[in-house]
Amino acid sequence: MAKSHQVSEELKNIAISLSEISLMSHQISEAASEQLTAGEDSAIRIVNISETAENTASVSHSSHATSAQIQLLTMNLEKEVQKFAI
């Protein structure tokens, strides 16, 4: 009878240990899922930053071209104004 009581206690301990392992596995799974979500969010933000940088470079290039055109027009205007100088 003492042995059956001891076996019963050991089985209870095993059941408790399995329950704790199951809980830990669930926590690990949740943490991994949260890390995956955070990684996906980071990837999306990196793509957005990259697209913004590309757009900024494009706008900068366009601004530079417009500035060059304005400079050329200014030089042409100055030449035209000099024709009327006394």
Side-chain angles (χ1 to χ4, degrees):
M1 181 112 139
K3 279 211 175 225
S4 71
H5 180 67
Q6 183 182 2
V7 169
S8 177
E9 287 300 315
E10 290 298 323
L11 288 174
K12 285 180 187 177
N13 289 337
I14 290 171
I16 290 170
S17 294
L18 288 175
S19 178
E20 290 173 352
I21 290 170
S22 176
L23 178 62
M24 286 184 223
S25 294
H26 181 70
Q27 290 172 341
I28 290 169
S29 175
E30 285 182 0
S33 178
E34 289 173 8
Q35 287 179 345
L36 178 62
T37 300
E40 289 171 346
D41 289 345
S42 294
I44 289 170
R45 288 182 180 149
I46 289 169
V47 168
N48 288 340
I49 290 169
S50 176
E51 289 173 352
T52 301
E54 288 176 9
N55 289 339
T56 300
S58 176
V59 168
S60 177
H61 181 6
S62 178
S63 177
H64 178 55
T66 301
S67 178
Q69 289 176 345
I70 290 172
Q71 184 180 14
L72 181 62
L73 289 172
T74 300
M75 290 170 51
N76 288 338
L77 182 59
E78 285 177 353
K79 287 180 186 177
E80 294 297 320
V81 169
Q82 286 178 1
K83 289 181 183 178
F84 296 102
I86 301 178

